[in-house]
Amino acid sequence: MNAQSLRSSIVKKVELQERLSFEDGMALFECEDLLAIGTLANSVRERLNGDKTYYNVNRHMNYTNVCVSDCAFCSFYRRVRDPEAYDWSVQECVEIARTAYEEGARELHIVGGLHPRLQFDYYTSLLSELKRNFPSVHLKAFTMVELDHLARTCRMTDEEVIDGLIAAGLDSCPGGGAEIFRDPTRSRICAHKTSGERWLELARKVHERGIHTNATMLYGHVESHEDRVDHLVKLRELQDQTSGFLCFIPLAFHPQGTDLANLPGPSAIDSLKTIAVSRLMLDNVPHIKAYWVLLGKNVAQVALRFGADDLDGTISRGGSLMESYLAEGNDNQLTRGEIEELIRGAGRTPVERDTLYNPVDAAASLEQPPARRLALPVVDPPSSDTQSPARG
């Protein structure tokens, strides 16, 4: 597709706020006019969020790197007896959180490997102790893959797992583990992980319990454009039903140290196009994140003109998982001043937020209202002259 045909078809739909079809998504990925796609995505971004670019003060806590899965894209996991394997006690996690809290963190982003020996009381104790010690800190914890692992290894129902974690202090869930939903690609990169259908099923159940989540897509490995569009359409369809996704995060694959180390990973152009197409296809997801840790600060800054309205957070000395995937030249921490400088350099207005995208006053105390519970309204999707087919 050339720029002229892009202007004459998809642009019209975007201007009329009509839903883009699966075929439109494919056409966007195959179009070589990056600036035309970026301009279109930027118009949607500005209609939804104006010049605001969100960030938060957070800490990533990876409580263990022990994992029974052996995903081809992962350089983080270790087996139980590996000399580099670790699992932090609840008290160790509390002390790590204490340092983050004293540095001003408002959110703990808690994810880990699929540990074969940790029992359910470890996870509930972790949440309850963190909440008891730091009641104002939002606990964003455990991906759908971790929830699936807990249900299977602890022989519990999904509802027992979700309700038990909520009772212990769970405020929201991160969006990891989605990778690519469609097979056979998913089986090629994570054969022993939760299926795409199961990830979506658990996300639905979490939303139905009133808990917000994010969603991710790992791109730049062996997936096709069709895999990517299928992934976006499936997320969009679930969002129509639950309104539970707060933010979508395209995750750039980093091949170093993985079983796919022969691959180059995505280019800056591919990353910018993926962010832009995500903004255009996900018409019902309020925020698109340019995750600076994986993109690099410069590409993430440009992405704020290609559909993204969020840079994630200051990260505050993230855990080993994040450090495994740092973009070349990145460290794992930004100060408030540094992240705001990046945002202003893109001509945007920085807004410090909490996890649920409420603006916060950086000068205020850490006291904040309890996390909002998700209501489940009846949502009418944007109008479309072409229904998006369910693929894969």
Side-chain angles (χ1 to χ4, degrees):
M1 174 182 286
N2 58 33
Q4 181 60 40
S5 59
L6 180 67
R7 283 193 293 270
S8 65
S9 58
I10 296 175
V11 171
K12 183 177 179 181
K13 282 187 177 182
V14 172
E15 289 174 347
L16 295 175
Q17 298 183 36
E18 292 180 354
R19 173 154 287 180
L20 300 186
S21 68
F22 186 98
E23 289 73 21
D24 292 330
M26 289 294 295
L28 286 166
F29 271 118
E30 291 165 5
C31 177
E32 296 181 358
D33 194 337
L34 177 65
L35 292 180
I37 298 170
T39 299
L40 198 58
N42 186 61
S43 70
V44 176
R45 180 250 202 260
E46 292 186 350
R47 173 169 55 80
L48 294 174
N49 295 294
D51 275 333
K52 295 176 182 177
T53 292
Y54 296 94
Y55 74 95
N56 67 347
V57 180
N58 61 349
R59 164 71 196 241
H60 284 214
M61 179 184 290
N62 307 127
Y63 56 91
T64 184
N65 65 348
V66 175
C67 190
V68 297
S69 190
D70 53 356
C71 299
F73 61 81
C74 184
S75 63
F76 170 69
Y77 79 92
R78 298 293 184 270
R79 298 303 191 194
V80 172
R81 294 184 176 83
D82 191 294
E84 295 182 347
Y86 73 86
D87 47 85
W88 292 334
S89 68
V90 169
Q91 191 55 43
E92 285 175 314
C93 290
V94 169
E95 293 310 310
I96 291 166
R98 191 179 311 281
T99 299
Y101 177 81
E102 291 171 353
E103 293 174 349
R106 301 175 185 274
E107 171 193 291
L108 291 174
H109 180 121
I110 305 168
V111 297
L114 307 181
H115 199 298
R117 297 177 183 173
L118 293 179
Q119 295 302 303
F120 192 62
D121 61 355
Y122 170 85
Y123 299 88
T124 54
S125 295
L126 174 59
L127 292 175
S128 61
E129 281 301 298
L130 290 171
K131 188 62 72 174
R132 183 177 69 83
N133 282 273
F134 318 105
S136 64
V137 175
H138 185 105
L139 302 183
K140 183 170 73 175
F142 312 133
T143 65
M144 301 307 103
V145 173
E146 288 166 279
L147 300 187
D148 180 52
H149 175 72
L150 285 175
R152 288 185 290 105
T153 60
C154 301
R155 299 181 180 179
M156 299 171 65
T157 67
D158 296 341
E159 292 73 20
E160 287 170 338
V161 170
I162 295 166
D163 291 346
L165 295 175
I166 292 172
L170 179 72
D171 292 316
S172 69
C173 292
E179 322 308 359
I180 286 290
F181 291 142
R182 189 168 177 263
D183 272 322
T185 302
R186 188 176 184 88
S187 296
R188 291 180 62 189
I189 62 171
C190 50
H192 303 122
K193 180 179 275 187
T194 307
S195 70
E197 291 77 10
R198 176 67 170 150
W199 191 99
L200 290 163
E201 176 189 13
L202 280 165
R204 178 193 299 277
K205 289 184 177 184
V206 169
H207 296 170
E208 288 172 347
R209 287 299 191 270
I211 296 295
H212 288 280
T213 74
N214 291 336
T216 61
M217 178 178 71
L218 185 70
Y219 69 93
H221 43 90
V222 299
E223 87 286 1
S224 65
H225 288 162
E226 190 171 21
D227 291 329
R228 295 186 192 182
V229 179
D230 171 83
H231 192 96
L232 296 172
V233 168
K234 285 175 177 172
L235 289 174
R236 189 174 70 184
E237 289 172 345
L238 180 56
Q239 181 74 341
D240 278 343
Q241 299 167 38
T242 70
S243 299
F245 294 123
L246 284 171
C247 182
F248 176 70
I249 308 104
L251 297 176
F253 169 59
H254 282 246
Q256 298 87 347
T258 74
D259 292 344
L260 301 174
N262 59 305
L263 299 177
S267 66
I269 289 175
D270 191 19
S271 289
L272 292 172
K273 182 183 287 188
T274 301
I275 288 168
V277 175
S278 299
R279 177 65 286 167
L280 292 166
M281 292 295 294
L282 295 176
D283 51 50
N284 53 4
V285 176
H287 303 285
I288 304 293
K289 185 175 293 184
Y291 190 41
W292 66 263
V293 177
L294 298 183
L295 292 172
K297 298 168 190 173
N298 293 338
V299 175
Q301 185 182 46
V302 176
L304 300 181
R305 292 283 172 178
F306 278 73
D309 65 282
D310 191 323
L311 281 182
D312 197 84
T314 56
I315 306 296
S316 184
R317 289 189 172 83
S320 300
L321 175 57
M322 188 192 63
E323 290 167 357
S324 299
Y325 301 115
L326 285 172
E328 185 176 355
N330 267 8
D331 55 28
N332 62 0
Q333 185 174 7
L334 287 174
T335 65
R336 271 194 186 95
E338 288 169 337
I339 205 165
E340 290 192 357
E341 183 179 356
L342 276 177
I343 293 167
R344 290 193 179 98
R348 299 303 194 189
T349 301
V351 177
E352 185 181 345
R353 61 168 175 85
D354 65 15
T355 305
L356 302 177
Y357 287 85
N358 300 304
V360 298
D361 181 358
S365 71
L366 281 175
E367 300 226 351
Q368 59 186 35
R372 292 198 315 267
R373 276 300 172 83
L374 170 63
L376 295 178
V378 177
V379 179
D380 292 325
S383 61
S384 175
D385 55 5
T386 306
Q387 289 295 316
S388 302
R391 301 296 180 103

